[in-house]
Every structure is written in structure tokens, then in C-alpha cells.
Amino acid sequence: MFILSVLKDTIHIQPYDFYKSKYDALADEINRIYANKVIQEVGLCICLFDILSASEEIVHYGNGASYAKVKFQLVVFRPFIGEILEGKVSSNTPEGVKVTLGYFDDILIPTNNDDGWRFDFGSQVWVRLWDNPLPENLWKSAEDKYLYMYMDKDQSIKFRVIEENFTDIGTKGPPPKRTGAVAGQKVPQPGSSSLPSDVMIVGNNKSVTNIQPPNIVNADTTTGSNVIGGANATSVQQESKLLGAATTSSTYKLKQAPYEIVGSIAEVGLGLTSWAWD
Amino acid sequence: MQIIEKRNAQLSNHEVLALLRELDEKQKEQVRINPQIKFAENLKTIQFEVIQNLTSLQSPARTQTPEQIESVLFELKKYNLTKSEKLQIINLRPQSIAELELIIEDCEDRFSTETLREMIYMIGVNLPIPGKVVRRLESGNEPTEEDEVLTFIHYETDPKKKNILSENVH
């Protein structure tokens, strides 16, 4: 689930941080830049693990800050393909069941790629169908052909990671405000941020929601789900109406997630943990 | 920014939790010295959310200790498991054969049901769930209705019975 990644970056230390030891100043700065951020093809950064090496600090003309080239290890959330994770059902959407881990929300279990799913209109949740192990002569009705697993909200669920998608959604503004300054000191403007204008960092962990009228829904703005395509935007709209999801008829919310995990529960032992498997 | 190595090492949930708790303690100490101090909001957010997730009731990392993990890894040596399989056993603490089969690749070809039962029992002993006692059913005994079929182990909730049950454990 969690890995260590080695990165190299030029880190600034602002003059008001000079009272800290070099390690603390660098660690605070690295955490400020990277914590809770997704790096393309790396994963969701949690926090600094260790600093491996740091160069001499250099002060440039016209700027009081010192610069150091630092090689460090980050704790990164990046489950490998095939790993089993446990999360909670956060919502049921037209594309499938959304699962959250608390700190990572962009997990989708698609329901359109196999026949083992049914939508329950009464309770507005997806239902996973499992073949009933009982022989046919013991069924009380035709409904007993399957066992029904209801994807109710907040149920704990186990799934296998089958796919991961990184989407470059561009840099969303500067990194969060510096908070190291003691009260009374002037906080530098975001323009002086030490974040290189690198497209690798693609904004905050949580996905951004764009609201667009349905007629300009384009294929290139989808987040890798199979349901939405440019041509069938209207059918999506109809579907979302049918499902009574949190969408209104005039707007359809498109989500752009920098890092998305696709899961599957199509195996014995996966699915809601409240089920007793034997 | 330059990425030197994407996947340098894998961390268990317990290690991440320990690291974040340490960070939390350090921050509390700094606040005690200087109440004015503020920390980056993104760091506080992810720190809080990960700690909350890893200390939730279902999370095995909540109660694990380094000694327990060491002993489990020592016992797992003889089964020739891959690194990621061992990691997932520690992270998920499987309690039934169905759960173990998910984690281990080609499980049916590599291990017999008997070995898997053995493994489940060993995991139950070395990564205990607080307040529950693991008991192995004597071989030949049919599992009673209360017992989980096929797992051949049973998690008891009553600590008073511990002494009687420990006699059953080989």
C-alpha cells in the first residue's frame, strides 16, 4: 500500500526559518510542498521519510533565502496492481461504486463491465449478485438464484486493485501558504514559492469538480471511465436522471482526479467484509 | 523536481502509522514550546486522515508491535512467500482460507489446504486480535456449529476460558 520513493529537488529555506536546524528546516519545507499531493506516475505523497543528502546552501543575489539541493525519501501511497485493499463505500454513481480510504477518495469499482451487477432503484444502491451455492431444488423462488450484496454507504469493503490511472490536470495554483512565519512577521507572497513550475505535481489529492452543461461534454475530459463518451453524453444524462444521483438535469458534474484507482470485487472473499466467506 | 527511484522500498501499514505518530508527537512538543507555531495544513490533513484510517477498528495495524511482525515473518520463512505476499499478510491479517487465497498467487497449486490452515493458525497466534483467543480444533474433530467451517480455528471472545483453551493448543 505504502512505498518509499527517492526524489531530488532544490529546496528554499526562508530567512525566518534560519533559527531551525538545517534538517528541520528542510523537512518542514519538503512536507509543505509534497504532503497530500499527487505526483504523476509516483502516487499520493504522505510525508517525508528521510533526507538522504543535502548540498551546501547557496544564497542568491537579491534574495535572502538559501537554496540547497536535497535528495530525500517520501512515503507514498501507491498500491500495486493486484493488491487487496480495504475501504468504505462512499457513494453509488452511474459508473459504479465509489470507495474511500479516508485519505484517498478516487477509487471506482465499475459496474458496467460484467453481468454480476444490478441497480436497486428502491434503495438507490448497486447490488452485487453472487451465485447461490445451494442446489436448485432448495430454492424457494427464482430470486434465490443469486445472493445479493447491497453496496450500502459506509459499509466496509475489500477489493482488488486492477488498474491505476494518472491524469495530468495541470498545476492548481501555488502550494499552500507558508505557515512557518511567527506571528507579526510578513508572510511572503505565493509568487515566491519554491515549487518549480513543473507539471509533474498536479494539484491536491482530492479531485476537482467541474460543472459543465451536458452538450459540451467531451471524451477528453473523462476520467478514464467507460460510461461517458462524447457521443453518448445524452444517454449519460438520462441515466443520471434515472439513478437520481446528485446531478440536476441541466448540469452534469465531471470529475478530474489526478490519480484514480479502479478496483474489482469479482472474486470469492472480496466485497463487503460483513459477509462471512467459507 | 527529479524522480530518482519510484519504488525504493515497501512499507507496512504499521511502519507508516509509527512514523506518523512520531511526527504527531514531535509537533505536539513544538506546540508546547511555542504555542504560536503553525504547521502546513496539507500535512496536518493527510496526517490526521491516515492515522484515523490506520487506527480504525478494522485495521490490524492498530495494535501491531514490531515484535509481533518479526515473529510472523520468522514463521512465514518456511513457506517461500514473495515479499508482497508477506506484506499483505501483515497488513490485512487474514482470518480465513478465503482471505489467504486472495493474497497468495496460485494458492491452490502451491499449498495444500492443510498448510493453509496451519498458516491461518500461525497468523492468529502471532498477530493476535486483542480480547480474542485463537484455538485450533483437534484434528479429526468436526467443527461444531459455532466454529467457522474450514478455518479450523476459532476466535474466542471470553478471556476467562483462555486457560482451558490453551490446553488444546499444541
Side-chain angles (χ1 to χ4, degrees):
Chain A
M1 194 144 96
F2 297 103
I3 59 167
L4 283 182
S5 297
V6 183
L7 270 75
K8 203 174 170 184
D9 201 355
T10 308
I11 304 294
H12 301 200
I13 302 174
Q14 295 295 334
Y16 56 69
D17 279 340
F18 284 169
Y19 74 96
K20 296 177 185 171
S21 70
K22 186 176 175 185
Y23 182 91
D24 284 349
L26 289 174
D28 287 350
E29 190 65 11
I30 291 168
N31 275 332
R32 185 186 70 81
I33 296 174
Y34 288 100
N36 208 4
K37 295 284 189 298
V38 172
I39 305 179
Q40 288 291 295
E41 305 298 329
V42 174
L44 166 66
C45 301
I46 308 292
C47 67
L48 178 76
F49 183 78
D50 200 8
I51 292 178
L52 299 176
S53 66
S55 71
E56 292 266 300
E57 288 147 275
I58 297 165
V59 179
H60 286 297
Y61 174 73
N63 188 341
S66 78
Y67 297 68
K69 279 194 173 146
V70 186
K71 200 170 150 190
F72 51 94
Q73 282 181 312
L74 282 178
V75 179
V76 175
F77 169 75
R78 175 85 185 270
F80 54 86
I81 305 286
E83 183 163 358
I84 311 283
L85 296 182
E86 200 176 325
K88 275 194 174 129
V89 176
S90 63
S91 63
N92 286 265
T93 66
E95 296 99 62
V97 181
K98 291 286 256 177
V99 178
T100 176
L101 292 178
Y103 50 91
F104 187 77
D105 299 331
D106 300 308
I107 303 167
L108 178 74
I109 299 173
T111 48
N112 54 353
N113 51 5
D114 65 24
D115 297 335
W117 290 95
R118 192 178 287 173
F119 192 76
D120 185 88
F121 288 88
S123 49
Q124 296 288 315
V125 294
W126 286 98
V127 184
R128 177 77 198 175
L129 309 176
W130 294 96
D131 288 329
N132 197 333
L134 288 173
E136 204 164 336
N137 49 11
L138 289 175
W139 297 353
K140 288 184 186 118
S141 66
E143 301 228 317
D144 280 353
K145 190 174 177 213
Y146 299 113
L147 299 172
Y148 300 92
M149 187 188 272
Y150 284 80
M151 297 295 143
D152 290 326
K153 199 169 176 270
D154 288 338
Q155 289 282 326
S156 168
I157 185 171
K158 247 186 197 165
F159 58 94
R160 189 184 287 281
V161 178
I162 53 168
E163 210 185 305
E164 50 186 13
N165 297 314
F166 283 99
T167 319
D168 196 341
I169 58 167
T171 311
K172 289 272 173 284
K177 250 189 191 169
R178 289 174 193 280
T179 47
V182 182
Q185 272 178 325
K186 201 180 165 224
V187 176
Q189 292 307 304
S192 69
S193 95
S194 71
L195 186 70
S197 56
D198 197 322
V199 288
M200 303 286 283
I201 294 186
V202 292
N204 290 314
N205 155 26
K206 307 285 188 255
S207 53
V208 198
T209 306
N210 291 343
I211 301 171
Q212 293 182 356
N215 51 354
I216 49 165
V217 171
N218 284 321
D220 59 345
T221 48
T222 59
T223 57
S225 75
N226 311 326
V227 180
I228 314 166
N232 56 7
T234 44
S235 71
V236 170
Q237 199 195 339
Q238 281 167 356
E239 199 179 342
S240 64
K241 253 189 208 168
L242 274 175
L243 295 171
T247 52
T248 60
S249 57
S250 60
T251 56
Y252 184 72
K253 284 179 184 175
L254 277 184
K255 280 204 163 173
Q256 284 187 315
Y259 177 31
E260 199 187 41
I261 289 177
V262 178
S264 156
I265 62 164
E267 268 171 277
V268 170
L270 294 178
L272 303 184
T273 44
S274 50
W275 272 46
W277 293 98
D278 45 39
Chain B
M1 184 189 65
Q2 189 188 349
I3 298 156
I4 293 174
E5 210 175 332
K6 269 186 212 167
R7 205 177 271 272
N8 183 24
Q10 300 202 324
L11 290 178
S12 72
N13 288 359
H14 169 77
E15 286 170 292
V16 175
L17 183 61
L19 179 76
L20 289 174
R21 277 180 171 157
E22 197 184 304
L23 192 64
D24 213 36
E25 286 301 311
K26 203 174 156 194
Q27 287 172 348
K28 271 183 197 153
E29 180 68 24
Q30 280 173 338
V31 168
R32 205 179 51 81
I33 296 167
N34 176 8
Q36 298 267 338
I37 203 163
K38 290 217 172 68
F39 302 101
E41 226 165 81
N42 51 338
L43 176 68
K44 290 301 279 183
T45 308
I46 193 89
Q47 199 183 326
F48 173 76
E49 285 174 342
V50 174
I51 289 179
Q52 203 176 43
N53 178 274
L54 293 182
T55 49
S56 69
L57 276 177
Q58 301 99 332
S59 170
R62 198 165 67 107
T63 53
Q64 277 169 0
T65 63
E67 292 78 32
Q68 288 173 356
I69 292 173
E70 239 170 71
S71 68
V72 135
L73 283 175
F74 179 76
E75 297 281 340
L76 282 174
K77 256 183 195 165
K78 58 174 181 259
Y79 297 112
N80 258 333
L81 294 166
T82 64
K83 229 183 193 179
S84 52
E85 283 164 354
K86 284 188 237 173
L87 180 75
Q88 287 198 73
I89 285 178
I90 293 165
N91 280 353
L92 296 168
R93 188 173 57 200
Q95 287 167 48
S96 66
I97 290 192
E99 284 174 77
L100 203 57
E101 276 175 342
L102 286 171
I103 296 170
I104 300 173
E105 252 179 83
D106 295 327
C107 191
E108 281 165 30
D109 299 339
R110 283 165 63 192
F111 301 106
S112 66
T113 319
E114 202 51 52
T115 325
L116 292 177
R117 276 178 198 163
E118 204 59 39
M119 227 187 273
I120 290 286
Y121 174 72
M122 190 278 293
I123 294 164
V125 170
N126 285 295
L127 294 176
I129 304 174
K132 294 198 175 183
V133 182
V134 60
R135 172 167 68 96
R136 177 160 53 181
L137 300 178
E138 302 239 353
S139 54
N141 271 9
E142 284 301 310
T144 56
E145 277 179 13
E146 297 156 28
D147 292 316
E148 292 172 57
V149 192
L150 275 183
T151 58
F152 267 64
I153 58 162
H154 182 59
Y155 284 94
E156 284 286 339
T157 31
D158 190 0
K160 281 179 198 165
K161 290 184 185 171
K162 194 178 174 180
N163 293 333
I164 313 157
L165 291 170
S166 58
E167 289 167 21
N168 290 344
V169 176
H170 304 292

